[in-house]
């Protein structure tokens, strides 16, 4: 295998220099793309008259906008960068993640969707916290809103920081821009159209970005497969160059370790059930027909993009061998296989993935602060203004976090994803199944789900050796099990028991508060 220069390894110069004509094409592509996003924000700004408009788009999303914007928001930069890098490192056994993620799409749209959409429209809920707290009394409902809003703000700044980091990698790898400038460039564009247009702008831009991601997820993996000599030659190359475990569906793990790994990575899909920015799409879809069609669109997108990124990872391993940064595989393959003038399209795809999540996260985090934490009550009839101020503040804090915390895109995203999933998912599931958990049970379920995730995540970072013996050592060993099943599955157990065991004798949500 010939030596292929790896960008991002710290050696050599960027392929596209300032005087390169291709660089001008790339920059022009990006500028045009960003202007389109800002124009959408300007257009949508006239639709924001109240809190519901800004956070839910007036509950008027059609099937294509709801489906594509949901898909792009739930499967963002970590799919193009993190997931492809994960498969690149672990091989075929990493694909056990995919069924769990697809199951999350099915569960949200077909199980949660009907009840969540109907009750939201009937009772004029603005956030998923309203839905979760509906079975509690007025005083406990306020505590639930404060707790849930605080957790959304805490976790989403990490999530947003991960996405800003992904945008920075794009600019650094293609233009050799400094890290700080790269982060700021992506943040400014997202903030402009998000502040202007609110949920409508976010949903429309996410639809555009989802389509862009789908296009790249077809073209680049196809080019990679051809370059690797087709499926047979690619498999033969991997068989010759990689350990046999790489192409084994179990990773040559024993039965119990394999079950733990497969169960753990598939359980990433559980996090879907507790994400406020995803639930917002179901709350905002205009009717049942749009919801059903939206599911078909979102699911088709997920199959296409995940299959494409898995194929890209395996083709990339056959072509490139070992590279310095697995999360830069997407760029390495683009630079190797595509003409330089198409680099703008590739970077736009990454920025699409980043923006499609960051803008949704900013809207959801702003809703948590402005609505759930009742900041809008400080300035009556200034709901949209307060929401914009909160959004800008969150964005600034996330940028600061991106520049100061060193962690991989995948780890930061999955921690936030798992923590909120375990905190909110069991409560939402109970409400969807027509249970009416008591207020204290909802509070306890949120705290236990989140705290247990943090506990196992923390011990996973410490490591078994550093933790020593006793209970601490046992927790560290459990947290170190491949696939992280204790971080993603165990935090759901006690919350589910609580919300289904301690219910109101009759649904309090039937009483208007």
């Amino acid at each position: 295998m010939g030596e292929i220069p790896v960008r991002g390894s710290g050696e050599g110069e960027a392929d596209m220099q300032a005087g390169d004509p291709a660089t001008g094409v790339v920059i022009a592509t990006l500028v045009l793309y960003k202007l389109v996003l800002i124009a959408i924000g300007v257009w949508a700004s006239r639709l924001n008259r109240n809190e519901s408009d800004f956070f839910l788009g007036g509950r008027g999303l059609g099937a294509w906008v709801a489906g594509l914007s949901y898909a792009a928001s739930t499967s963002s930069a970590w799919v193009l960068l993190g997931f492809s890098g994960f498969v690149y490192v672990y091989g075929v056994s990493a694909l056990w993640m995919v069924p769990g993620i697809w199951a999350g799409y099915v569960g949200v749209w077909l199980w949660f969707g009907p009840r969540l959409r109907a009750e939201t429209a009937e009772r004029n809920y603005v956030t998923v916290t309203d839905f979760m707290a509906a079975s509690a009394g007025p005083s406990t409902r306020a505590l639930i809103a404060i707790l849930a809003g605080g957790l959304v703000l805490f976790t989403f700044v990490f999530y947003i920081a991960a996405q800003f980091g992904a945008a920075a990698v794009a600019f650094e790898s293609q233009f050799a821009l400094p890290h700080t400038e790269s982060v700021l460039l992506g943040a400014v564009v997202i903030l402009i159209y998000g502040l202007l247009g609110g949920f409508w702008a976010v949903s429309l831009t996410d639809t555009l970005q989802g389509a862009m991601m789908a296009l790249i997820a077809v073209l680049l993996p196809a080019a990679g497969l051809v370059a690797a000599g087709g499926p047979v030659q690619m498999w033969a190359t991997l068989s010759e160059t990689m350990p046999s475990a790489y192409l084994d569906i179990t990773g040559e793990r024993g039965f119990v370790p394999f079950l733990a790994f497969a169960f753990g990575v598939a359980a990433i899909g559980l996090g879907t059930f507790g994400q406020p920015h995803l639930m917002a799409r179901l709350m905002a879809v205009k009717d049942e027909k749009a919801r059903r069609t939206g599911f078909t669109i979102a699911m088709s997108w997920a199959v296409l993009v995940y299959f494409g990124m898995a194929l890209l990872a395996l083709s990339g391993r056959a072509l490139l061998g070992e590279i310095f940064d697995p999360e830069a595989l997407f760029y390495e393959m683009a630079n190797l296989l595509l003409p330089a003038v198409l680099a703008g399209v590739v970077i736009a795809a990454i920025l699409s993935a980043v923006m499609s999540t960051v803008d949704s996260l900013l809207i959801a985090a702003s809703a948590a602060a402005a609505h759930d934490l009742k900041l809008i009550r400080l300035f009556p009839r200034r709901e949209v203004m307060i929401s914009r101020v909160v959004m800008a503040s969150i964005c600034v804090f996330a940028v600061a976090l991106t520049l100061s915390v060193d962690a991989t895109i995948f780890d930061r995203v999955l921690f936030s994803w798992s923590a909120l999933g375990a905190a909110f998912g069991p409560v939402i599931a109970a409400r969807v199944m027509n249970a009416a958990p008591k207020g204290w049970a909802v509070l306890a379920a949120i705290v236990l789900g989140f705290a247990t995730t943090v506990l196992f995540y923390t011990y996973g970072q410490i490591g078994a050796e550093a933790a020593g013996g006793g209970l601490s050592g046992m927790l560290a060993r459990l947290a170190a099990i491949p696939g992280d099943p204790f971080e993603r599955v165990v935090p759901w157990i006690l919350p589910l028991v609580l919300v289904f065991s301690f219910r109101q004798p009759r649904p309090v949500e039937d009483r208007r508060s």
Side-chain angles (χ1 to χ4, degrees):
M1 184 184 301
E3 183 178 353
I4 298 173
V6 177
R7 188 177 303 154
S9 62
E11 300 177 1
E13 299 178 354
D15 290 347
M16 292 187 295
Q17 303 296 329
D20 190 340
T23 303
V25 176
V26 172
I27 293 174
T29 302
L30 290 174
V31 169
L32 177 61
Y33 177 72
K34 292 178 180 181
L35 288 176
V36 169
L37 297 183
I38 293 172
I40 290 174
V42 172
W43 173 82
S45 64
R46 64 187 178 85
L47 302 177
N48 293 311
R49 297 176 296 274
N50 54 46
E51 185 185 27
S52 178
D53 290 338
F54 193 80
F55 291 133
L56 289 179
R59 310 177 203 276
L61 264 61
W64 280 97
V65 174
L68 279 179
S69 65
Y70 174 94
S73 295
T74 189
S75 305
S76 56
W78 79 265
V79 178
L80 301 186
L81 304 181
F83 173 71
S84 61
F86 186 64
V87 177
Y88 169 87
V89 171
Y90 289 97
V92 173
S93 64
L95 299 180
W96 285 104
M97 179 190 303
V98 178
I101 292 173
W102 287 347
Y105 277 70
V106 174
V108 167
W109 283 86
L110 300 186
W111 178 27
F112 281 16
R115 174 71 182 270
L116 189 60
R117 190 205 65 78
E119 189 171 322
T120 293
E122 178 186 350
R123 303 191 182 280
N124 200 32
Y125 296 152
V126 174
T127 67
V128 72
T129 301
D130 293 336
F131 182 78
M132 289 193 298
S135 62
S139 59
T140 311
R141 194 177 304 169
L143 291 177
I144 293 170
I146 292 171
L147 175 62
L151 290 182
V152 170
L153 287 174
F154 176 75
T155 54
F156 274 11
V157 293
F158 286 97
Y159 206 156
I160 294 168
Q163 303 302 309
F164 283 156
V169 171
F171 287 108
E172 288 175 63
S173 66
Q174 297 295 336
F175 300 112
L177 287 177
H179 184 67
T180 300
E181 285 80 351
S182 298
V183 172
L184 292 175
L185 185 58
V188 166
V189 174
I190 295 167
L191 190 57
I192 288 174
Y193 74 76
L195 286 175
L196 287 172
F199 190 84
W200 259 117
V202 165
S203 297
L204 291 173
T205 55
D206 286 358
T207 300
L208 173 64
Q209 291 152 8
M212 174 74 76
M213 291 167 64
L215 177 63
I216 295 299
V218 171
L219 296 181
L220 190 56
L225 186 62
V226 171
V232 175
Q233 183 58 48
M234 178 191 73
W235 197 266
T237 300
L238 292 174
S239 299
E240 294 172 2
T241 59
M242 299 300 297
S244 57
Y246 191 83
L247 295 179
D248 187 81
I249 193 66
T250 69
E252 293 189 348
R253 300 174 178 88
F255 180 70
V256 173
F258 163 68
L259 284 182
F261 174 80
F263 194 47
V265 295
I268 290 173
L270 281 175
T272 308
F273 299 118
Q275 304 304 316
H277 63 297
L278 302 183
M279 299 302 129
R281 294 307 195 285
L282 276 299
M283 295 169 71
V285 70
K286 64 181 181 180
D287 54 36
E288 276 297 288
K289 180 181 179 182
R291 182 191 60 80
R292 290 190 294 269
T293 306
F295 164 71
T296 302
I297 293 167
M299 194 70 210
S300 300
W301 187 99
V303 171
L304 181 68
V305 171
Y306 278 92
F307 179 79
M309 288 303 100
L311 182 60
L312 181 71
L314 297 177
S315 299
R317 178 59 93 168
L319 287 169
L320 301 176
E322 191 75 25
I323 64 175
F324 180 78
D325 180 8
E327 289 185 350
L329 172 69
F330 189 93
Y331 305 115
E332 303 302 332
M333 291 292 282
N335 292 330
L336 176 68
L337 301 172
L338 300 179
V341 293
L342 295 181
V345 177
V346 172
I347 298 175
I350 293 296
L351 292 177
S352 296
V354 172
M355 292 176 178
S356 62
T357 294
V358 170
D359 53 18
S360 296
L361 295 174
L362 282 172
I363 284 288
S366 301
H371 180 80
D372 296 338
L373 300 182
K374 309 302 182 186
L375 293 182
I376 56 173
R377 291 188 178 180
L378 299 177
F379 301 90
R381 295 183 297 277
R382 294 278 189 254
E383 294 95 341
V384 175
M385 182 196 73
I386 294 302
S387 301
R388 286 170 171 158
V389 170
V390 170
M391 181 186 291
S393 301
I394 294 169
C395 187
V396 169
F397 185 79
V399 166
L401 188 66
T402 305
L403 297 176
S404 60
V405 175
D406 183 23
T408 66
I409 295 167
F410 203 67
D411 284 347
R412 274 184 283 183
V413 168
L414 288 186
F415 165 71
S416 300
W417 182 268
S418 299
L420 274 192
F424 296 163
V427 179
I428 299 174
R431 291 278 295 106
V432 166
M433 295 178 71
N434 209 29
K438 293 183 177 181
W440 69 265
V442 172
L443 283 169
I446 292 173
V447 171
L448 278 173
F450 187 84
T452 309
T453 304
V454 172
L455 176 70
F456 283 108
Y457 176 82
T458 302
Y459 274 102
Q461 301 301 304
I462 292 174
E465 292 184 5
L471 178 61
S472 182
M474 182 187 71
L475 290 173
R477 287 190 293 274
L478 292 175
I481 293 175
D484 298 325
F486 278 83
E487 179 183 326
R488 297 182 188 128
V489 180
V490 171
W492 278 70
I493 297 174
L494 280 178
L496 282 174
V497 171
L498 279 170
V499 294
F500 281 102
S501 298
F502 299 95
R503 295 182 282 180
Q504 303 284 359
R506 65 187 181 88
V508 176
E509 68 265 30
D510 289 342
R511 307 180 212 145
R512 298 281 183 150
S513 61

